[in-house]
Amino acid sequence: MGKIIAVDGPAGAGKSTVSKIVAAKLGYTYIDTGAMYRAVGLKFLRSGQPLTENFLAEITKDIEIKLDESAKVYLDGEEVTKEIRTPEVSKLASDVSKFGFVRKKLTELQREMAAKGSVIMDGRDIGTQVLPNADLKIFLTASLQERARRRFEELKLKNSSVTLDDVEKEIFLRDKQDSEREIAPLAKADDAILIDSTNLSVDEVVEKILELVISEK
Ligand code: DC
C-alpha cells in the first residue's frame, strides 16, 4: 500500500495546485476535501434558505458528494466542478464547515476515500483530525498578501470583477473563521512539516514534498 500524505494550510497557500502535481508524479489519488465542503455550501446556496442548523441538517442528511479521478466534483449526481469555485461558495463552505454533523459526515467519507492508501489529501484538519496517522503531514502556508495575489490572478483568468483588496479581505476573514471554530479548526499538527511558499515556485514546493516522501520511511 502506498503512503498517505496530508496537506493542510490556509486559503490560497497552493495546497491543491501542489497536491495535484505530487499525486500525478507519484501515481497517487488526489482528494480535495475543500471541494466537499464547497459542495455542501453550493447545495445550501441553491436552496435560497437562511442558514439554520435544522435546515442544514436536512439538506446534508442524504447529500451525495463524489470526486472522480480527474478531481471533478459531483453534487447529488450533477457535476459542479466550476460552480463551487466562486467567492460566494468559498464563504458558505467555511460557514457550513463549523457544524459538527457536517464535519462528521465528510470526515467519514474522507477516511473511506483514503483507506486504500496512495493518497494525498488536502484541507484544514487532515493531519489533526481526519488522518492523524498519515505517513507524511505538510502544513503549507504563505503570507496573506501573496496568497491573496495568487487567488486574485486565478479569479482574473475567470473574468471575475473582484479586486485584490476584496480577495485579501475574503481570505483573511475565512482563515480567521476556519482557525477560530470550535470543531476541528485549521491548525498545524505537531508532527507536520511547515513549508512557507511565499518565496517558492510551485515546482520548488513540489520538489520539497517529493523529497520528504522519499526520505520518509
Ligand atoms: O480548501 P478550500 O478553500 O476549497 O475550502 C473551502 C472551505 O471549506 C474552507 O474555508 C473551510 C472548509 N474546509 C474545512 O473546514 N475543512 C477541510 N478539511 C477543508 C475545507
PDB file of all heavy atoms in Angstrom, residues 8 11-12 15 32-35 37-38 85 89-90 93-94 97-98 103 110 122-126 130 151 174-175 178 181 184, ligand 1:
ATOM      1  N   ASP A   8      -2.265  20.431   4.897  1.00  0.00           N
ATOM      2  CA  ASP A   8      -3.190  21.432   5.440  1.00  0.00           C
ATOM      3  C   ASP A   8      -2.585  22.814   5.291  1.00  0.00           C
ATOM      4  O   ASP A   8      -1.382  22.965   5.049  1.00  0.00           O
ATOM      5  CB  ASP A   8      -3.441  21.149   6.930  1.00  0.00           C
ATOM      6  CG  ASP A   8      -4.265  19.885   7.134  1.00  0.00           C
ATOM      7  OD1 ASP A   8      -5.402  19.846   6.638  1.00  0.00           O
ATOM      8  OD2 ASP A   8      -3.754  18.945   7.776  1.00  0.00           O
ATOM      9  N   ALA A  11      -6.216  29.363   3.223  1.00  0.00           N
ATOM     10  CA  ALA A  11      -6.720  29.539   1.860  1.00  0.00           C
ATOM     11  C   ALA A  11      -5.654  30.162   0.958  1.00  0.00           C
ATOM     12  O   ALA A  11      -4.943  31.083   1.365  1.00  0.00           O
ATOM     13  CB  ALA A  11      -7.956  30.442   1.887  1.00  0.00           C
ATOM     14  N   GLY A  12      -5.547  29.632  -0.241  1.00  0.00           N
ATOM     15  CA  GLY A  12      -4.655  30.229  -1.236  1.00  0.00           C
ATOM     16  C   GLY A  12      -3.179  29.920  -1.049  1.00  0.00           C
ATOM     17  O   GLY A  12      -2.332  30.521  -1.704  1.00  0.00           O
ATOM     18  N   LYS A  15      -2.169  24.633  -1.819  1.00  0.00           N
ATOM     19  CA  LYS A  15      -2.328  23.220  -1.442  1.00  0.00           C
ATOM     20  C   LYS A  15      -2.802  22.366  -2.609  1.00  0.00           C
ATOM     21  O   LYS A  15      -2.228  21.323  -2.900  1.00  0.00           O
ATOM     22  CB  LYS A  15      -3.342  23.061  -0.288  1.00  0.00           C
ATOM     23  CG  LYS A  15      -2.976  23.791   0.984  1.00  0.00           C
ATOM     24  CD  LYS A  15      -3.983  23.527   2.102  1.00  0.00           C
ATOM     25  CE  LYS A  15      -5.383  24.032   1.825  1.00  0.00           C
ATOM     26  NZ  LYS A  15      -5.503  25.495   1.724  1.00  0.00           N
ATOM     27  N   ASP A  32      -9.465  16.436  -2.674  1.00  0.00           N
ATOM     28  CA  ASP A  32      -9.640  17.843  -2.313  1.00  0.00           C
ATOM     29  C   ASP A  32     -10.819  17.948  -1.344  1.00  0.00           C
ATOM     30  O   ASP A  32     -11.975  17.964  -1.765  1.00  0.00           O
ATOM     31  CB  ASP A  32      -9.910  18.618  -3.614  1.00  0.00           C
ATOM     32  CG  ASP A  32     -10.204  20.088  -3.387  1.00  0.00           C
ATOM     33  OD1 ASP A  32     -10.254  20.516  -2.220  1.00  0.00           O
ATOM     34  OD2 ASP A  32     -10.388  20.798  -4.389  1.00  0.00           O
ATOM     35  N   THR A  33     -10.539  18.001  -0.038  1.00  0.00           N
ATOM     36  CA  THR A  33     -11.649  17.996   0.926  1.00  0.00           C
ATOM     37  C   THR A  33     -12.384  19.338   0.945  1.00  0.00           C
ATOM     38  O   THR A  33     -13.556  19.396   1.274  1.00  0.00           O
ATOM     39  CB  THR A  33     -11.181  17.640   2.362  1.00  0.00           C
ATOM     40  OG1 THR A  33     -10.306  18.665   2.836  1.00  0.00           O
ATOM     41  CG2 THR A  33     -10.477  16.300   2.400  1.00  0.00           C
ATOM     42  N   GLY A  34     -11.681  20.419   0.570  1.00  0.00           N
ATOM     43  CA  GLY A  34     -12.345  21.725   0.488  1.00  0.00           C
ATOM     44  C   GLY A  34     -13.485  21.679  -0.524  1.00  0.00           C
ATOM     45  O   GLY A  34     -14.545  22.277  -0.314  1.00  0.00           O
ATOM     46  N   ALA A  35     -13.279  20.930  -1.607  1.00  0.00           N
ATOM     47  CA  ALA A  35     -14.322  20.813  -2.643  1.00  0.00           C
ATOM     48  C   ALA A  35     -15.578  20.173  -2.056  1.00  0.00           C
ATOM     49  O   ALA A  35     -16.698  20.479  -2.469  1.00  0.00           O
ATOM     50  CB  ALA A  35     -13.809  19.975  -3.809  1.00  0.00           C
ATOM     51  N   TYR A  37     -16.634  20.435   1.159  1.00  0.00           N
ATOM     52  CA  TYR A  37     -17.341  21.475   1.941  1.00  0.00           C
ATOM     53  C   TYR A  37     -17.987  22.494   1.003  1.00  0.00           C
ATOM     54  O   TYR A  37     -19.073  23.010   1.270  1.00  0.00           O
ATOM     55  CB  TYR A  37     -16.388  22.161   2.932  1.00  0.00           C
ATOM     56  CG  TYR A  37     -16.044  21.254   4.091  1.00  0.00           C
ATOM     57  CD1 TYR A  37     -14.890  20.467   4.070  1.00  0.00           C
ATOM     58  CD2 TYR A  37     -16.897  21.134   5.181  1.00  0.00           C
ATOM     59  CE1 TYR A  37     -14.593  19.585   5.094  1.00  0.00           C
ATOM     60  CE2 TYR A  37     -16.621  20.268   6.225  1.00  0.00           C
ATOM     61  CZ  TYR A  37     -15.462  19.494   6.176  1.00  0.00           C
ATOM     62  OH  TYR A  37     -15.191  18.624   7.203  1.00  0.00           O
ATOM     63  N   ARG A  38     -17.322  22.753  -0.121  1.00  0.00           N
ATOM     64  CA  ARG A  38     -17.889  23.682  -1.111  1.00  0.00           C
ATOM     65  C   ARG A  38     -19.187  23.125  -1.696  1.00  0.00           C
ATOM     66  O   ARG A  38     -20.130  23.865  -1.964  1.00  0.00           O
ATOM     67  CB  ARG A  38     -16.873  23.938  -2.227  1.00  0.00           C
ATOM     68  CG  ARG A  38     -15.756  24.873  -1.798  1.00  0.00           C
ATOM     69  CD  ARG A  38     -14.653  24.950  -2.838  1.00  0.00           C
ATOM     70  NE  ARG A  38     -13.604  25.835  -2.377  1.00  0.00           N
ATOM     71  CZ  ARG A  38     -13.568  27.146  -2.603  1.00  0.00           C
ATOM     72  NH1 ARG A  38     -14.503  27.710  -3.333  1.00  0.00           N
ATOM     73  NH2 ARG A  38     -12.593  27.882  -2.114  1.00  0.00           N
ATOM     74  N   ARG A  85     -16.420  27.155  -7.322  1.00  0.00           N
ATOM     75  CA  ARG A  85     -15.202  27.975  -7.199  1.00  0.00           C
ATOM     76  C   ARG A  85     -15.467  29.469  -7.105  1.00  0.00           C
ATOM     77  O   ARG A  85     -14.572  30.271  -7.370  1.00  0.00           O
ATOM     78  CB  ARG A  85     -14.264  27.718  -8.385  1.00  0.00           C
ATOM     79  CG  ARG A  85     -13.721  26.302  -8.430  1.00  0.00           C
ATOM     80  CD  ARG A  85     -12.776  26.003  -7.292  1.00  0.00           C
ATOM     81  NE  ARG A  85     -12.706  24.571  -7.031  1.00  0.00           N
ATOM     82  CZ  ARG A  85     -12.232  24.028  -5.922  1.00  0.00           C
ATOM     83  NH1 ARG A  85     -11.762  24.778  -4.951  1.00  0.00           N
ATOM     84  NH2 ARG A  85     -12.236  22.724  -5.757  1.00  0.00           N
ATOM     85  N   VAL A  89     -19.429  30.853  -2.785  1.00  0.00           N
ATOM     86  CA  VAL A  89     -19.414  29.469  -2.295  1.00  0.00           C
ATOM     87  C   VAL A  89     -18.245  29.256  -1.312  1.00  0.00           C
ATOM     88  O   VAL A  89     -18.383  28.513  -0.342  1.00  0.00           O
ATOM     89  CB  VAL A  89     -19.382  28.446  -3.457  1.00  0.00           C
ATOM     90  CG1 VAL A  89     -19.278  27.021  -2.936  1.00  0.00           C
ATOM     91  CG2 VAL A  89     -20.611  28.581  -4.342  1.00  0.00           C
ATOM     92  N   SER A  90     -17.121  29.943  -1.528  1.00  0.00           N
ATOM     93  CA  SER A  90     -15.993  29.831  -0.576  1.00  0.00           C
ATOM     94  C   SER A  90     -16.454  30.209   0.831  1.00  0.00           C
ATOM     95  O   SER A  90     -16.196  29.500   1.802  1.00  0.00           O
ATOM     96  CB  SER A  90     -14.853  30.801  -0.928  1.00  0.00           C
ATOM     97  OG  SER A  90     -14.405  30.623  -2.234  1.00  0.00           O
ATOM     98  N   ALA A  93     -18.902  27.654   2.209  1.00  0.00           N
ATOM     99  CA  ALA A  93     -18.213  26.404   2.572  1.00  0.00           C
ATOM    100  C   ALA A  93     -17.639  26.551   3.979  1.00  0.00           C
ATOM    101  O   ALA A  93     -17.753  25.651   4.818  1.00  0.00           O
ATOM    102  CB  ALA A  93     -17.105  26.105   1.571  1.00  0.00           C
ATOM    103  N   SER A  94     -17.046  27.710   4.245  1.00  0.00           N
ATOM    104  CA  SER A  94     -16.481  27.956   5.569  1.00  0.00           C
ATOM    105  C   SER A  94     -17.606  28.021   6.612  1.00  0.00           C
ATOM    106  O   SER A  94     -17.477  27.468   7.704  1.00  0.00           O
ATOM    107  CB  SER A  94     -15.669  29.260   5.532  1.00  0.00           C
ATOM    108  OG  SER A  94     -15.204  29.577   6.810  1.00  0.00           O
ATOM    109  N   SER A  97     -18.948  24.574   7.396  1.00  0.00           N
ATOM    110  CA  SER A  97     -17.931  23.673   7.957  1.00  0.00           C
ATOM    111  C   SER A  97     -17.809  23.804   9.476  1.00  0.00           C
ATOM    112  O   SER A  97     -17.095  23.032  10.109  1.00  0.00           O
ATOM    113  CB  SER A  97     -16.568  23.908   7.291  1.00  0.00           C
ATOM    114  OG  SER A  97     -15.982  25.098   7.762  1.00  0.00           O
ATOM    115  N   LYS A  98     -18.513  24.777  10.056  1.00  0.00           N
ATOM    116  CA  LYS A  98     -18.467  24.938  11.521  1.00  0.00           C
ATOM    117  C   LYS A  98     -19.323  23.893  12.233  1.00  0.00           C
ATOM    118  O   LYS A  98     -19.141  23.633  13.409  1.00  0.00           O
ATOM    119  CB  LYS A  98     -19.036  26.314  11.906  1.00  0.00           C
ATOM    120  CG  LYS A  98     -18.105  27.454  11.634  1.00  0.00           C
ATOM    121  CD  LYS A  98     -18.653  28.742  12.194  1.00  0.00           C
ATOM    122  CE  LYS A  98     -19.773  29.279  11.332  1.00  0.00           C
ATOM    123  NZ  LYS A  98     -20.207  30.632  11.675  1.00  0.00           N
ATOM    124  N   ARG A 103     -19.147  18.131   9.517  1.00  0.00           N
ATOM    125  CA  ARG A 103     -17.767  17.649   9.594  1.00  0.00           C
ATOM    126  C   ARG A 103     -17.727  16.127   9.758  1.00  0.00           C
ATOM    127  O   ARG A 103     -16.906  15.451   9.164  1.00  0.00           O
ATOM    128  CB  ARG A 103     -17.002  18.309  10.758  1.00  0.00           C
ATOM    129  CG  ARG A 103     -16.942  19.825  10.688  1.00  0.00           C
ATOM    130  CD  ARG A 103     -15.702  20.362  11.366  1.00  0.00           C
ATOM    131  NE  ARG A 103     -14.518  20.038  10.599  1.00  0.00           N
ATOM    132  CZ  ARG A 103     -14.103  20.717   9.537  1.00  0.00           C
ATOM    133  NH1 ARG A 103     -14.728  21.787   9.143  1.00  0.00           N
ATOM    134  NH2 ARG A 103     -13.024  20.335   8.883  1.00  0.00           N
ATOM    135  N   GLN A 110     -14.156  11.018   3.854  1.00  0.00           N
ATOM    136  CA  GLN A 110     -12.736  11.251   3.533  1.00  0.00           C
ATOM    137  C   GLN A 110     -11.886  10.070   4.002  1.00  0.00           C
ATOM    138  O   GLN A 110     -10.961   9.643   3.305  1.00  0.00           O
ATOM    139  CB  GLN A 110     -12.268  12.566   4.180  1.00  0.00           C
ATOM    140  CG  GLN A 110     -12.894  13.786   3.502  1.00  0.00           C
ATOM    141  CD  GLN A 110     -12.997  15.004   4.397  1.00  0.00           C
ATOM    142  OE1 GLN A 110     -12.428  15.042   5.487  1.00  0.00           O
ATOM    143  NE2 GLN A 110     -13.726  16.019   3.955  1.00  0.00           N
ATOM    144  N   ASP A 122      -5.849  17.148   0.787  1.00  0.00           N
ATOM    145  CA  ASP A 122      -5.607  18.483   1.329  1.00  0.00           C
ATOM    146  C   ASP A 122      -6.853  19.081   1.959  1.00  0.00           C
ATOM    147  O   ASP A 122      -7.972  18.693   1.652  1.00  0.00           O
ATOM    148  CB  ASP A 122      -4.976  19.418   0.276  1.00  0.00           C
ATOM    149  CG  ASP A 122      -5.980  20.025  -0.686  1.00  0.00           C
ATOM    150  OD1 ASP A 122      -7.125  19.559  -0.728  1.00  0.00           O
ATOM    151  OD2 ASP A 122      -5.599  20.974  -1.391  1.00  0.00           O
ATOM    152  N   GLY A 123      -6.616  19.969   2.955  1.00  0.00           N
ATOM    153  CA  GLY A 123      -7.738  20.579   3.669  1.00  0.00           C
ATOM    154  C   GLY A 123      -7.269  21.462   4.802  1.00  0.00           C
ATOM    155  O   GLY A 123      -6.269  22.185   4.666  1.00  0.00           O
ATOM    156  N   ARG A 124      -8.014  21.418   5.912  1.00  0.00           N
ATOM    157  CA  ARG A 124      -7.671  22.235   7.073  1.00  0.00           C
ATOM    158  C   ARG A 124      -7.356  21.395   8.306  1.00  0.00           C
ATOM    159  O   ARG A 124      -6.628  21.822   9.195  1.00  0.00           O
ATOM    160  CB  ARG A 124      -8.840  23.176   7.441  1.00  0.00           C
ATOM    161  CG  ARG A 124      -9.323  24.095   6.329  1.00  0.00           C
ATOM    162  CD  ARG A 124      -8.276  25.132   6.004  1.00  0.00           C
ATOM    163  NE  ARG A 124      -8.755  26.132   5.053  1.00  0.00           N
ATOM    164  CZ  ARG A 124      -8.970  25.950   3.755  1.00  0.00           C
ATOM    165  NH1 ARG A 124      -8.727  24.756   3.228  1.00  0.00           N
ATOM    166  NH2 ARG A 124      -9.377  26.926   2.983  1.00  0.00           N
ATOM    167  N   ASP A 125      -7.974  20.187   8.350  1.00  0.00           N
ATOM    168  CA  ASP A 125      -7.899  19.350   9.560  1.00  0.00           C
ATOM    169  C   ASP A 125      -7.464  17.927   9.206  1.00  0.00           C
ATOM    170  O   ASP A 125      -7.802  16.990   9.911  1.00  0.00           O
ATOM    171  CB  ASP A 125      -9.286  19.301  10.233  1.00  0.00           C
ATOM    172  CG  ASP A 125     -10.350  18.671   9.321  1.00  0.00           C
ATOM    173  OD1 ASP A 125     -10.149  18.678   8.084  1.00  0.00           O
ATOM    174  OD2 ASP A 125     -11.350  18.163   9.841  1.00  0.00           O
ATOM    175  N   ILE A 126      -6.760  17.772   8.103  1.00  0.00           N
ATOM    176  CA  ILE A 126      -6.433  16.409   7.661  1.00  0.00           C
ATOM    177  C   ILE A 126      -5.387  15.785   8.600  1.00  0.00           C
ATOM    178  O   ILE A 126      -5.575  14.682   9.098  1.00  0.00           O
ATOM    179  CB  ILE A 126      -5.941  16.390   6.187  1.00  0.00           C
ATOM    180  CG1 ILE A 126      -6.915  17.181   5.291  1.00  0.00           C
ATOM    181  CG2 ILE A 126      -5.777  14.944   5.687  1.00  0.00           C
ATOM    182  CD1 ILE A 126      -8.358  16.763   5.369  1.00  0.00           C
ATOM    183  N   VAL A 130      -8.630  14.151  10.469  1.00  0.00           N
ATOM    184  CA  VAL A 130      -9.136  13.157   9.505  1.00  0.00           C
ATOM    185  C   VAL A 130      -8.180  11.969   9.408  1.00  0.00           C
ATOM    186  O   VAL A 130      -8.602  10.819   9.500  1.00  0.00           O
ATOM    187  CB  VAL A 130      -9.364  13.799   8.110  1.00  0.00           C
ATOM    188  CG1 VAL A 130      -9.902  12.771   7.114  1.00  0.00           C
ATOM    189  CG2 VAL A 130     -10.330  14.991   8.210  1.00  0.00           C
ATOM    190  N   ARG A 151      -4.637  34.068  -5.538  1.00  0.00           N
ATOM    191  CA  ARG A 151      -6.067  33.805  -5.729  1.00  0.00           C
ATOM    192  C   ARG A 151      -6.668  34.832  -6.699  1.00  0.00           C
ATOM    193  O   ARG A 151      -7.493  34.505  -7.546  1.00  0.00           O
ATOM    194  CB  ARG A 151      -6.745  33.865  -4.348  1.00  0.00           C
ATOM    195  CG  ARG A 151      -8.151  33.353  -4.210  1.00  0.00           C
ATOM    196  CD  ARG A 151      -8.441  32.037  -4.856  1.00  0.00           C
ATOM    197  NE  ARG A 151      -7.813  30.844  -4.347  1.00  0.00           N
ATOM    198  CZ  ARG A 151      -8.236  30.106  -3.319  1.00  0.00           C
ATOM    199  NH1 ARG A 151      -9.297  30.454  -2.653  1.00  0.00           N
ATOM    200  NH2 ARG A 151      -7.600  29.016  -2.964  1.00  0.00           N
ATOM    201  N   ARG A 174     -11.986  34.420   6.125  1.00  0.00           N
ATOM    202  CA  ARG A 174     -12.250  32.975   6.053  1.00  0.00           C
ATOM    203  C   ARG A 174     -11.238  32.208   6.915  1.00  0.00           C
ATOM    204  O   ARG A 174     -11.599  31.297   7.654  1.00  0.00           O
ATOM    205  CB  ARG A 174     -12.216  32.522   4.592  1.00  0.00           C
ATOM    206  CG  ARG A 174     -12.763  31.143   4.383  1.00  0.00           C
ATOM    207  CD  ARG A 174     -13.436  31.010   3.039  1.00  0.00           C
ATOM    208  NE  ARG A 174     -12.530  31.265   1.925  1.00  0.00           N
ATOM    209  CZ  ARG A 174     -11.839  30.310   1.300  1.00  0.00           C
ATOM    210  NH1 ARG A 174     -11.924  29.060   1.702  1.00  0.00           N
ATOM    211  NH2 ARG A 174     -11.076  30.603   0.278  1.00  0.00           N
ATOM    212  N   ASP A 175      -9.956  32.599   6.830  1.00  0.00           N
ATOM    213  CA  ASP A 175      -8.948  31.920   7.660  1.00  0.00           C
ATOM    214  C   ASP A 175      -9.238  32.116   9.139  1.00  0.00           C
ATOM    215  O   ASP A 175      -9.040  31.213   9.947  1.00  0.00           O
ATOM    216  CB  ASP A 175      -7.550  32.495   7.398  1.00  0.00           C
ATOM    217  CG  ASP A 175      -7.006  32.056   6.062  1.00  0.00           C
ATOM    218  OD1 ASP A 175      -7.512  31.073   5.505  1.00  0.00           O
ATOM    219  OD2 ASP A 175      -6.067  32.721   5.583  1.00  0.00           O
ATOM    220  N   ASP A 178     -12.072  29.879  10.009  1.00  0.00           N
ATOM    221  CA  ASP A 178     -11.654  28.470   9.990  1.00  0.00           C
ATOM    222  C   ASP A 178     -10.718  28.140  11.162  1.00  0.00           C
ATOM    223  O   ASP A 178     -10.720  27.020  11.663  1.00  0.00           O
ATOM    224  CB  ASP A 178     -10.949  28.129   8.663  1.00  0.00           C
ATOM    225  CG  ASP A 178     -11.903  28.160   7.467  1.00  0.00           C
ATOM    226  OD1 ASP A 178     -13.126  28.094   7.673  1.00  0.00           O
ATOM    227  OD2 ASP A 178     -11.413  28.276   6.322  1.00  0.00           O
ATOM    228  N   ARG A 181     -12.936  28.307  14.751  1.00  0.00           N
ATOM    229  CA  ARG A 181     -14.120  27.469  15.040  1.00  0.00           C
ATOM    230  C   ARG A 181     -13.771  26.442  16.113  1.00  0.00           C
ATOM    231  O   ARG A 181     -12.597  26.058  16.281  1.00  0.00           O
ATOM    232  CB  ARG A 181     -14.648  26.818  13.765  1.00  0.00           C
ATOM    233  CG  ARG A 181     -13.753  25.750  13.228  1.00  0.00           C
ATOM    234  CD  ARG A 181     -14.361  24.994  12.061  1.00  0.00           C
ATOM    235  NE  ARG A 181     -13.366  24.127  11.502  1.00  0.00           N
ATOM    236  CZ  ARG A 181     -12.984  24.116  10.222  1.00  0.00           C
ATOM    237  NH1 ARG A 181     -13.537  24.913   9.356  1.00  0.00           N
ATOM    238  NH2 ARG A 181     -12.045  23.285   9.827  1.00  0.00           N
ATOM    239  N   ALA A 184     -12.521  20.962  15.066  1.00  0.00           N
ATOM    240  CA  ALA A 184     -11.513  20.708  14.033  1.00  0.00           C
ATOM    241  C   ALA A 184     -11.062  21.980  13.301  1.00  0.00           C
ATOM    242  O   ALA A 184     -11.176  22.076  12.079  1.00  0.00           O
ATOM    243  CB  ALA A 184     -12.033  19.670  13.032  1.00  0.00           C
TER     244      ALA A 184
HETATM  245  O1   DC B   1      -9.767  24.451   0.571  1.00  0.00           O
HETATM  246  P1   DC B   1     -10.935  25.350   0.213  1.00  0.00           P
HETATM  247  O2   DC B   1     -10.552  26.812   0.216  1.00  0.00           O
HETATM  248  O3   DC B   1     -11.606  24.926  -1.046  1.00  0.00           O
HETATM  249  O4   DC B   1     -12.005  25.106   1.405  1.00  0.00           O
HETATM  250  C1   DC B   1     -13.220  25.818   1.483  1.00  0.00           C
HETATM  251  C2   DC B   1     -13.687  25.866   2.952  1.00  0.00           C
HETATM  252  O5   DC B   1     -14.040  24.561   3.398  1.00  0.00           O
HETATM  253  C3   DC B   1     -12.670  26.375   3.949  1.00  0.00           C
HETATM  254  O6   DC B   1     -12.691  27.785   4.088  1.00  0.00           O
HETATM  255  C4   DC B   1     -13.059  25.683   5.235  1.00  0.00           C
HETATM  256  C5   DC B   1     -13.709  24.404   4.776  1.00  0.00           C
HETATM  257  N1   DC B   1     -12.826  23.242   4.937  1.00  0.00           N
HETATM  258  C6   DC B   1     -12.775  22.643   6.178  1.00  0.00           C
HETATM  259  O7   DC B   1     -13.401  23.135   7.123  1.00  0.00           O
HETATM  260  N2   DC B   1     -12.037  21.523   6.360  1.00  0.00           N
HETATM  261  C7   DC B   1     -11.334  20.976   5.356  1.00  0.00           C
HETATM  262  N3   DC B   1     -10.648  19.861   5.573  1.00  0.00           N
HETATM  263  C8   DC B   1     -11.350  21.581   4.079  1.00  0.00           C
HETATM  264  C9   DC B   1     -12.096  22.727   3.906  1.00  0.00           C
END
